[in-house]
């Protein structure tokens, strides 16, 4: 679980943050590329989410982070139903990334045969 007292200084002011446990695997940045960037070898929120879609993207980034380095202070977001996320027809991002696999993503691929 991310700790606000370990918040990286490069985070934009606001409730969403990345702490110093980030291993910079890129999994979270893939979920919220307009909000998260790499700075000094770790991800940080370069701006806070404002729209509903950006808040969902930030929530996905929080859930997929293999080191639980993303946190949010104050009101907690509703994280239900964010995964699996359909990326293209029949291709779903499952939402689990393992630190042991350096943040590799898990996928579910639908086939006509089942």
């Amino acid at each position: 679980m991310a700790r606000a007292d370990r918040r990286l200084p490069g985070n934009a002011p606001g409730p969403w943050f990345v702490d110093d446990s980030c291993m910079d695997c890129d999994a979270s940045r893939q979920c919220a590329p307009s909000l998260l960037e790499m700075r000094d070898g770790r991800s940080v929120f370069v701006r806070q989410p404002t729209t509903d879609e950006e808040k969902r993207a930030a929530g996905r980034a929080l859930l997929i982070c293999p080191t639980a380095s993303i946190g949010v202070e104050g009101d907690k977001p509703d994280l239900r139903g964010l995964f699996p996320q359909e990326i293209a027809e029949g291709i779903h991002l499952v939402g689990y990334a393992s630190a042991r696999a350096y943040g590799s993503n898990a996928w579910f691929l639908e086939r006509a045969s089942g």
Side-chain angles (χ1 to χ4, degrees):
M1 176 174 288
R3 294 182 34 188
D5 63 323
R6 293 173 52 184
R7 179 184 188 119
L8 291 170
N11 284 288
W16 290 86
F17 66 93
V18 179
D19 76 9
D20 64 2
S21 65
C22 174
M23 68 178 191
D24 194 38
C25 68
D26 192 44
S28 294
R29 288 196 310 268
Q30 292 173 25
C31 290
S34 67
L35 302 172
L36 291 158
E37 289 182 8
M38 183 179 65
R39 300 253 171 101
D40 298 321
R42 295 190 177 140
S43 293
V44 293
F45 275 88
V46 292
R47 63 184 193 78
Q48 295 291 313
T50 56
T51 67
D52 287 342
E53 183 52 40
E54 287 177 342
K55 290 174 185 175
R56 284 191 294 277
R60 286 186 190 102
L62 182 149
L63 288 173
I64 207 168
C65 179
T67 54
S69 302
I70 294 180
V72 60
E73 296 180 295
D75 294 335
K76 300 305 178 208
D78 183 2
L79 302 175
R80 295 174 294 174
L82 296 177
F83 288 111
Q85 178 189 16
E86 189 169 34
I87 302 298
E89 186 175 343
I91 302 172
H92 304 265
L93 179 60
V94 174
Y96 175 76
S98 171
R100 293 174 64 187
Y102 197 64
S104 296
N105 294 321
W107 297 90
F108 174 74
L109 306 175
E110 292 180 66
R111 296 183 300 185
S113 62

